[in-house]
Amino acid sequence: MDLEILVCFWKIYKHVNRNMDSNSISEADETLLLLAKRRALTDKLLENPYDLITYIERARVHGDLGYPDLAAGDAYRALLLIDEVRDDSFEYHEVALESLRKRCEDGMPLIFRRGSQTSASVDLVSAVSPDLADSDSEEDEDSTPPSIADKASMWCYRSLAISLLLCGCLKSAYEFCLRGLEVAPHDDDLLFKKEHIQALARRKLSVDEVDINDLPDQGLVRREIYPWNDHEPDRFSQATLDFLNTELDQIEAKCVVKITELPTLNENNLGNGYTFESTNRQLGLFAKNDIPPGETVLDEYSALTANNRLKESLCDACSAELPPLDANSAVVGCPDCDDTMFCNEKCFERSAQYHPSLCDKDIDTIAKDPDPKETPNALYLLLLIRALAMAETQECHPLDLKEVKYIWGDFLPSSANAVSLSLQAPPPPIWTLPFSFAANISNPLHVLEKMDIDIYAGIGSYDLWIFNSLYAKFRGTASARVSVRDGRPEVAAVHPLWCLANHDCNPNVQWEWGGQMRLWCREKRYDGSPGGIKQGEEVLNHYCDIDLKVHDRREWAKGSLGGWCMCERCRKEAEEEKNTNGHTTEGSA
């Protein structure tokens, strides 16, 4: 992997930096200290969310903790605040400038002083070529707000360039290199990073000359319950089970939630006999009584629904096709904004869960009618927008919405995602959450601004790690519906009860989504065995096209769930494929 080179540079610098410190500590202790520092800096931001220096300080800590995506998010907010400082016509100019003035009272902030700015996430060039490092003298440095804003902007460009590069977002990293070089054409750090991006791109694309528009811009980041996330419930507590079963009773479902044991989705989770070696506890749905073939198991509505069609005849609440607009039509329009239509009065009433935060906010075109290759990402962004609107309307934290709170995002332990700083460490882990600067950082902030939300004061509810956590939950559980016109995905939704039914490539139920999610018992299973679910048996759902070959099904699972599907059918077909081909191929086990 090309990014292993960058991780190697990262390790070398941290190793050298640690050896220079006579009070060297263990990695575990260093992580605890960094987490404590992150908590303190976050508390400072909650007290004064317009302090761009604190964002920069937290970006450095995020980088040192091994979260380059979160470092990029903080550096970008700092860059936005620098614009606020410089332009007196901007909304937050006065508070941003006053915050910076206070930080200037004691002179140049420590993070900009020579010897303090280098870190794993920022000054990579100093680690690789110390002779290229910034040699500016600290003496007589101008510590006025304009001067510090200039230094801060260059810090942000450097941080964004290396952080996004470490995430695999080469195009965005390159663009921030260019933006920084427009300000400082001879900046050695940015020139080094620019050349490295070009070298990586030439090798990755097998070309001599690189067009910036051809650079890959979607990478992968850590998919985990962040150590500071106190919104994730104990999914296996009796209180959780009681709540979910009450929700099921309210929709008259024929199943109950129980704790079950599933194989860990990991291509390395295989023994010599091609049986899975580890399992993990999850929730699942189980039949209350015998369910005969053809009988409905559950029928669920969710407000967490979105469509990517612009000016199409779809209900804004449930995304079902609108009925004909004739004299007796039940269609209801929003009285306060144009072109927002609902199936009927019931859907209009349901829209009160989210629509007040979006009404007449001019966000109708965002992520609509996307380029075909961007369709899945656009739908996930639209789900994020809907979740943010629901949280704002209901005045709750996004991760506390009942539609997402109890969903498992196929998270890995933080320790499994961490990059060891030891030079003798094995290769870095393969992160599994898709990430891009636009989808995870700039577009969500743009939407929040459109919703008249202060993106700085709202840091407690709208921080990047929160967006990432929501995306992880969506990618593992959201269902999609394709257009009958062109076969492209046009609608996505999260049905929190439906998605509790675990995936299996030989399911005993099938589903249909037409405004509500209906799950019913199959007449016959994929392997030809008769349908029907016995009392106490698990309800086995399917999240992908089960007609696909095992390789393609596992590729889907790897992208959406973070690892290979380990169901009985997949393991059996992979073994058959191995015996036929005489070797194991990717997606086979």
Side-chain angles (χ1 to χ4, degrees):
M1 180 196 293
D2 293 330
L3 291 182
E4 286 185 19
I5 300 172
L6 291 170
V7 175
C8 181
F9 289 156
W10 190 351
K11 290 181 181 180
I12 291 171
Y13 174 70
K14 292 296 289 184
H15 182 75
V16 171
N17 204 36
R18 180 177 286 121
N19 285 347
M20 291 171 62
D21 183 359
S22 59
N23 298 315
S24 178
I25 59 176
S26 70
E27 283 189 34
D29 288 340
E30 182 181 11
T31 297
L32 290 175
L33 288 172
L34 287 170
L35 286 172
K37 187 172 183 179
R38 183 203 174 275
R39 182 171 59 251
L41 291 169
T42 301
D43 289 342
K44 286 181 65 176
L45 287 175
L46 293 172
E47 293 174 6
N48 181 8
Y50 308 103
D51 183 353
L52 68 92
I53 304 300
T54 305
Y55 279 106
I56 287 174
E57 291 169 339
R58 197 176 72 154
R60 175 174 174 175
V61 171
H62 276 146
D64 290 342
L65 278 168
Y67 297 100
D69 50 330
L70 304 187
D74 282 345
Y76 184 65
R77 289 202 201 214
L79 200 58
L80 294 178
L81 281 169
I82 292 167
D83 291 339
E84 297 284 344
V85 167
R86 289 171 168 167
D87 195 324
D88 61 10
S89 69
F90 281 17
E91 182 176 3
Y92 304 109
H93 169 72
E94 292 295 334
V95 288
L97 180 58
E98 180 60 25
S99 296
L100 186 57
R101 281 178 178 150
K102 288 182 178 179
R103 294 301 297 264
C104 296
E105 290 175 355
D106 297 324
M108 183 65 62
L110 180 63
I111 198 166
F112 299 140
R113 297 178 190 174
R114 190 181 176 195
S116 297
Q117 123 165 286
T118 54
S119 76
S121 61
V122 180
D123 201 5
L124 180 64
V125 66
S126 302
V128 181
S129 294
D131 57 307
L132 295 180
D134 185 7
S135 59
D136 292 343
S137 171
E138 290 182 38
E139 297 180 7
D140 302 322
E141 281 191 298
D142 184 355
S143 59
T144 60
S147 175
I148 291 181
D150 290 342
K151 278 189 171 290
S153 66
M154 290 307 300
W155 194 101
C156 290
Y157 289 131
R158 293 166 182 161
S159 177
L160 281 158
I162 187 57
S163 298
L164 292 170
L165 180 55
L166 287 168
C167 295
C169 306
L170 272 64
K171 182 179 179 181
S172 293
Y174 193 80
E175 288 172 343
F176 279 108
C177 279
L178 296 182
R179 286 178 60 178
L181 289 169
E182 286 180 4
V183 178
H186 303 295
D187 185 271
D188 289 326
D189 187 90
L190 288 174
L191 287 170
F192 176 84
K193 290 165 185 169
K194 177 186 173 186
E195 292 172 3
H196 192 74
I197 293 170
Q198 289 175 326
L200 282 174
R202 283 194 294 268
R203 184 164 56 186
K204 192 174 186 69
L205 301 174
S206 299
V207 295
D208 294 328
E209 295 297 327
V210 177
D211 183 338
I212 186 172
N213 294 314
D214 295 332
L215 292 176
D217 208 34
Q218 178 164 295
L220 296 169
V221 297
R222 297 167 69 155
R223 188 173 191 159
E224 65 183 56
I225 299 175
Y226 295 96
W228 52 85
N229 180 359
D230 57 3
H231 294 273
E232 197 69 22
D234 179 354
R235 298 174 70 249
F236 308 117
S237 70
Q238 192 59 48
T240 294
L241 296 177
D242 290 344
F243 173 82
L244 294 173
N245 281 318
T246 299
E247 293 286 301
L248 285 167
D249 287 341
Q250 289 177 356
I251 63 170
E252 299 180 350
K254 294 181 175 64
C255 50
V256 294
V257 179
K258 294 182 180 180
I259 298 171
T260 187
E261 202 82 14
L262 296 178
T264 301
L265 300 180
N266 188 338
E267 56 264 46
N268 298 319
N269 183 29
L270 299 168
N272 294 330
Y274 297 96
T275 57
F276 53 85
E277 293 181 340
S278 65
T279 61
N280 62 90
R281 287 203 306 170
Q282 293 296 341
L283 299 180
L285 295 182
F286 293 79
K288 287 182 180 179
N289 300 293
D290 290 354
I291 306 175
E295 187 165 309
T296 297
V297 178
L298 65 79
D299 200 348
E300 179 186 12
Y301 167 80
S302 173
L304 190 45
T305 302
N307 73 79
N308 61 18
R309 295 300 199 184
L310 182 64
K311 308 297 183 185
E312 291 283 349
S313 56
L314 298 177
C315 174
D316 191 70
C318 71
S319 291
E321 290 280 351
L322 291 172
L325 297 174
D326 54 31
N328 299 317
S329 177
V331 172
V332 179
C334 174
D336 299 316
C337 58
D338 298 331
D339 301 323
T340 302
M341 310 297 288
F342 305 94
C343 290
N344 48 42
E345 191 67 32
K346 187 174 183 179
C347 271
F348 176 58
E349 292 173 358
R350 286 168 165 170
S351 74
Q353 298 177 62
Y354 69 89
H355 188 62
S357 294
L358 301 175
C359 188
D360 203 25
K361 297 297 191 212
D362 190 31
I363 65 171
D364 295 344
T365 61
I366 295 175
K368 295 298 181 77
D369 289 344
D371 183 280
K373 64 183 180 181
E374 289 297 321
T375 296
N377 290 334
L379 282 171
Y380 288 125
L381 174 60
L382 289 165
L383 283 175
L384 180 68
I385 294 171
R386 178 63 64 92
L388 299 180
M390 291 171 68
E392 189 67 15
T393 301
Q394 298 173 36
E395 297 182 346
C396 72
H397 192 281
L399 294 176
D400 288 335
L401 289 166
K402 71 175 184 178
E403 287 81 1
V404 300
K405 186 177 182 70
Y406 302 98
I407 291 175
W408 181 244
D410 297 294
F411 300 115
L412 291 174
S414 295
S415 57
N417 279 318
V419 178
S420 173
L421 303 180
S422 169
L423 294 178
Q424 287 75 43
I430 298 175
W431 295 336
T432 61
L433 181 64
F435 174 90
S436 74
F437 172 74
N440 295 63
I441 299 177
S442 61
N443 282 340
L445 294 182
H446 175 61
V447 168
L448 290 172
E449 289 180 317
K450 286 281 191 178
M451 292 167 60
D452 296 327
I453 294 173
D454 184 335
I455 62 173
Y456 309 108
I459 189 74
S461 294
Y462 304 116
D463 209 345
L464 174 55
W465 70 267
I466 299 167
F467 303 157
N468 286 355
S469 298
L470 289 169
Y471 273 131
K473 291 179 180 242
F474 298 161
R475 286 185 174 273
T477 60
S479 55
R481 190 181 72 213
V482 299
S483 169
V484 296
R485 292 180 290 277
D486 57 20
R488 287 164 49 193
E490 67 175 1
V491 181
V494 174
H495 293 85
L497 301 177
W498 168 84
C499 72
L500 290 172
N502 291 307
H503 171 80
D504 194 287
C505 295
N506 183 30
N508 53 23
V509 293
Q510 59 191 97
W511 53 272
E512 181 180 48
W513 176 28
Q516 300 232 142
M517 176 62 78
R518 177 173 173 258
L519 192 68
W520 73 95
C521 192
R522 282 177 172 266
E523 298 287 345
K524 186 168 63 174
R525 300 183 69 173
Y526 187 87
D527 64 3
S529 60
I533 308 173
K534 297 294 184 182
Q535 180 181 5
E537 286 185 350
E538 185 169 5
V539 175
L540 300 175
N541 203 350
H542 63 99
Y543 299 156
C544 72
D545 182 354
I546 57 175
D547 289 326
L548 295 173
K549 298 292 186 183
V550 60
H551 169 83
D552 297 322
R553 296 199 308 273
R554 284 187 158 179
E555 282 299 300
W556 160 82
K558 189 175 179 180
S560 295
L561 305 180
W564 286 353
C565 178
M566 298 297 292
C567 73
E568 183 178 349
R569 179 186 165 199
C570 278
R571 287 184 283 122
K572 178 182 177 182
E573 291 181 5
E575 176 73 1
E576 291 172 350
E577 185 177 288
K578 171 182 174 291
N579 292 335
T580 300
N581 297 335
H583 64 279
T584 302
T585 59
E586 185 176 352
S588 303

